[in-house]
Amino acid sequence: MNEHLNPDAIDRYLGGERDKAMENHLRECAECRRAVERIETTLEQFRASAQAWSESQPQGQPPAGLAARVEAPASLFWIAPARWAAVATAVLALAALPVYRNYRRNQAADRARADALLLEEVCADLSRPAPEPLEPLIDLVSQSTTQSTPGDNQ
Amino acid sequence: MEANRASLDDFDALVALYWPGVFRFALASLRDRDRAATVAQDCFLRAWRSRERFRGDSSVRTWLMQIAVNLVRDEARSRKLQFWRSARAASGDFGALSATVADQGESPEAAASAREQLRAVWRAVRGLPERQRTVFLLRFTEEMELLEIAAATGMAEGTVKVHLFRALRAVREQVRQVSP
């Protein structure tokens, strides 16, 4: 008797790649035949379980409205809800674009006005002889200067 | 082939004839009945809308399976997390099913062993890489020939064999672990 079928040969056999030598060996070797039959039985039960599982589902039968969908293939009503949501989002985004642009323009104008105001204040500060908080001191100094001048004259 | 072509002229006949196989393949692949039904519906709608392009190089069944394979792959990739979540959730279904399928008048011990082996196959299938799983399911749930699987998956026949043999090895290994 030939050597037993190795695991690779059994996989090839189960996968449908069979040759005469394999078949002859399986006829003669009870051990290999049992090994192959055992896994074949399990695979057959797997197929049966997939079929039973599928048939036990309500969706195992075609849905009633399917034919109607092919009669109106171009109908917008058959667009999936997710696609409707995507379309609605795109439309909203397009509609909002001018509003957004206007908002950005107004924002830029406000910023320009604020900048101009700030610049004016800075210029005003620069044109002062001293910073605003020191102005009372300047006043004091100028008053004392005014008062002492007559004395000097005296 | 002529009978196959004829079914392309009648949508209801096409669906009635091939829905079970397409749904079964999608269900075994995705393990989610709602998503499997969505895939099956999309499969038939796409096939119907592009039936003019069907050249008849393969059977209608293989052509439908080709569309289903692509839809299942897209669906599984787009929702990988949900895929594994539902895979775990569906494992309860197999308990009841395997009890029905494996109980064929054997002794309680033999029936229990058969159930355990069946669960091991489903576990192994769940853990297979995508292409191995697809090839395995087309071969062992849909009983497609290697050349048909090659046509449905767009792989060369040699590649199909490689994936199938690797899948079989993984499945046999799982079965061996529960029933040495």
Side-chain angles (χ1 to χ4, degrees):
Chain A
M1 188 186 292
N2 298 332
E3 281 181 20
H4 289 307
L5 295 180
N6 63 32
D8 285 347
I10 292 177
D11 290 340
R12 288 205 309 278
Y13 183 85
L14 293 170
E17 197 178 70
R18 301 172 179 193
D19 58 36
K20 280 278 174 207
M22 278 182 194
E23 282 170 356
N24 288 339
H25 179 81
L26 286 172
R27 260 195 300 275
E28 293 169 9
C29 177
E31 195 178 331
C32 284
R33 194 164 58 244
R34 265 198 306 276
V36 167
E37 282 173 358
R38 195 170 140 203
I39 189 74
E40 275 184 331
T41 302
T42 303
L43 290 170
E44 175 54 34
Q45 288 190 336
F46 171 73
R47 192 195 62 72
S49 72
Q51 186 170 347
W53 186 32
S54 165
E55 286 172 356
S56 70
Q57 307 301 317
Q59 296 92 334
Q61 295 300 315
L66 196 57
R69 291 178 62 174
V70 296
E71 283 161 13
S75 169
L76 288 175
F77 294 106
W78 295 114
I79 296 177
R83 289 188 190 160
W84 273 118
V87 169
T89 307
V91 168
L92 279 175
L94 283 174
L97 195 61
V99 177
Y100 177 71
R101 279 187 176 161
N102 192 36
Y103 166 75
R104 291 299 299 261
R105 256 199 304 272
N106 288 343
Q107 219 177 21
D110 287 348
R111 202 179 304 123
R113 271 195 295 277
D115 286 351
L117 203 61
L118 181 65
L119 195 63
E120 271 175 32
E121 284 171 7
V122 169
C123 289
D125 278 347
L126 288 174
S127 64
R128 283 188 175 119
E132 193 178 2
L134 296 179
E135 275 181 357
L137 286 175
I138 298 287
D139 291 344
L140 272 176
V141 170
S142 52
Q143 275 173 19
S144 68
T145 310
T146 315
Q147 283 167 6
S148 65
T149 308
D152 287 343
N153 291 340
Q154 285 172 0
Chain B
M1 191 72 81
E2 282 307 307
N4 277 332
R5 281 180 164 285
S7 65
L8 276 181
D9 297 330
D10 182 344
F11 183 75
D12 287 332
L14 183 78
V15 172
L17 192 57
Y18 298 111
W19 178 276
V22 170
F23 176 71
R24 185 169 52 236
F25 168 70
L27 182 65
S29 299
L30 298 167
R31 301 201 181 196
D32 181 313
R33 66 192 83 170
D34 294 326
R35 289 166 60 205
T38 302
V39 161
Q41 286 188 38
D42 284 354
C43 176
F44 284 97
L45 293 174
R46 284 186 189 205
W48 185 254
R49 286 167 191 164
S50 60
R51 64 190 184 283
E52 300 302 327
R53 293 204 295 275
F54 176 66
R55 297 192 306 270
D57 297 339
S58 62
S59 67
V60 169
R61 179 188 180 226
T62 301
W63 180 57
L64 286 169
M65 281 302 183
Q66 185 180 7
I67 299 170
V69 164
N70 288 329
L71 289 169
V72 163
R73 187 184 54 218
D74 292 348
E75 182 71 15
R77 282 180 184 170
S78 67
R79 300 191 197 179
K80 244 177 189 166
L81 275 179
Q82 286 94 324
F83 173 81
W84 293 111
R85 216 173 286 137
S86 49
R88 275 196 291 274
S91 60
D93 289 357
F94 299 124
L97 271 173
S98 60
T100 314
V101 172
D103 188 6
Q104 296 175 341
E106 300 162 312
S107 69
E109 293 80 13
S113 171
R115 279 197 294 275
E116 200 49 52
Q117 288 176 32
L118 187 52
R119 285 197 198 99
V121 177
W122 279 106
R123 252 196 322 274
V125 169
R126 190 176 69 193
L128 290 174
E130 178 206 312
R131 294 210 286 181
Q132 286 183 33
R133 183 170 53 241
T134 297
V135 168
F136 183 88
L137 291 175
L138 291 177
R139 175 70 184 162
F140 291 108
T141 65
E142 301 312 308
E143 300 180 286
M144 289 171 74
E145 296 298 328
L146 295 176
L147 276 174
E148 289 179 313
I149 297 172
T153 56
M155 296 180 209
E157 190 187 1
T159 313
V160 170
K161 284 181 187 175
V162 170
H163 286 303
L164 184 60
F165 299 157
R166 283 181 185 163
L168 272 166
R169 189 179 306 168
V171 168
R172 282 198 309 106
E173 182 56 31
Q174 279 277 356
V175 171
R176 197 184 60 75
Q177 282 176 15
V178 298
S179 179

